[in-house]
Amino acid sequence: MALTNRYKTATGAGTLAALVLVLVFGGPWYADWARDETDSDTAGGWFLRLLGWPAWRFDSDDTIQNIIAADLKAILVVVLTCVFLYLLPGSQLARARGTLSQFLAGWSAYVFAGAFAAMLATLIGSNPSSLGAFQAAGSGAGYGFFVGWIIGLATLGGWRGRS
């Protein structure tokens, strides 16, 4: 039975961690708190604001197209994290569970997911441009770089199939 399996998959654990990050820190209540209560001129405040980067929302004064693009960005971060965790072969080829390659595969999957999600969401939003998409991909990759270590830690020790 899949629910009672004593092994967690690295892909499942990393995707679950990404989902929790996006749901909790991407929510409007956290984004409002981080904007109002943190100082962007400190490292801690900057990081707390960065955690809310894949922000999702239901209501805003913005256009409906931009709201959908922002929500799609948050969804794509989770979905693409799952896809990249499945596709990155480094940890699948590692001989032992919990190796450095598995940690780096989880981390890099989140970097790629952030970059691609931002780029695709920008192209869907109003007034899309190539320059805007490239700049958004850079900010998404930056988010993945500074937050992706959490996904890397979540994937450590995950089972990658038959040995």
Side-chain angles (χ1 to χ4, degrees), residues 23 35 62 146 149:
L23 283 178
R35 184 184 62 245
D62 209 356
F146 287 106
W149 60 270

Side-chain angles (χ1 to χ4, degrees), residues 125-144:
S126 62
N127 299 324
S129 69
S130 297
L131 177 61
F134 293 156
Q135 290 172 336
S139 67
Y143 164 77

Side-chain angles (χ1 to χ4, degrees), residues 64-117:
I64 190 72
Q65 191 173 7
N66 286 341
I67 293 173
I68 291 171
D71 292 346
L72 183 64
K73 177 176 65 175
I75 293 167
L76 283 174
V77 167
V78 176
V79 170
L80 290 174
T81 298
C82 180
V83 168
F84 286 122
L85 280 172
Y86 182 76
L87 293 177
L88 287 172
S91 55
Q92 293 173 351
L93 300 175
R95 292 189 176 265
R97 272 188 298 144
T99 61
L100 182 63
S101 69
Q102 194 162 351
F103 171 76
L104 292 176
W107 192 349
S108 63
Y110 209 57
V111 173
F112 292 140
F116 279 104

